[in-house]
Amino acid sequence: MANIRSTSNAQNLRRTPQGAAPVDRATVAAKACARIAEAWQLRNEEAAGLLDVSARTWARVKTGSWTGRLSRDQLLRASGLVGLYKGLHLYFSDPLADEWVRLANSGPSFGGRRPVDVMIAGGLPAILQARDHVDALRGGV
């Protein structure tokens, strides 16, 4: 029985393009990003830019009809956004937590710009830096 499982897993891994997350993980991550984008009231272009997908792909993600794969970078972006969302809701009241990404921020990571714009321009490193910024506000490392 163990041999059948390991063979099955090996075959599934071979079918997954290198650097892409399996479909089930990608689907969950995409749904989470769609919900976050809705809570943050992001424009479609902003949401697509955060996840680094085309506008057409984002439209399918948003409607729940997308069944594709995410690259490692895209999956890490989704993870960073989920962590940022959670950190914001732990630190701020719900309305401010959801507005925070769209408000100009004078923090050193943002230089007066909106965090969403900084994260889109800077990609994964900027998303993780925004998450670290919020974690530091909450008293984390």
Side-chain angles (χ1 to χ4, degrees), residues 123-141:
L124 178 59
I127 291 169
L128 297 178
Q129 189 171 20
R131 181 179 175 179
D132 289 345
H133 175 79
V134 170
D135 287 345
L137 291 174
R138 293 188 317 105
V141 177

Side-chain angles (χ1 to χ4, degrees), residues 36-122:
I36 290 169
E38 183 179 347
W40 288 349
Q41 298 178 4
L42 299 179
R43 295 187 331 265
N44 288 336
E45 307 81 47
E46 292 169 332
L50 283 174
L51 194 54
D52 194 28
V53 297
S54 69
R56 186 175 194 164
T57 297
W58 179 254
R60 289 193 307 267
V61 166
K62 196 169 122 175
T63 63
S65 65
W66 180 80
T67 58
R69 298 190 184 278
L70 293 176
S71 69
R72 175 179 239 109
D73 178 79
Q74 291 166 325
L75 195 60
L76 289 171
R77 285 171 183 251
S79 175
L81 292 169
V82 168
L84 176 60
Y85 177 86
K86 180 180 176 183
L88 287 168
H89 280 270
L90 288 172
Y91 189 69
F92 296 115
S93 65
D94 286 344
L96 181 55
D98 290 332
E99 291 174 20
W100 185 86
V101 295
R102 295 183 329 245
L103 300 173
N105 192 310
S106 61
S109 300
F110 308 106
R113 298 186 300 162
R114 300 181 325 149
V116 68
D117 296 329
V118 172
M119 291 187 291
I120 291 168

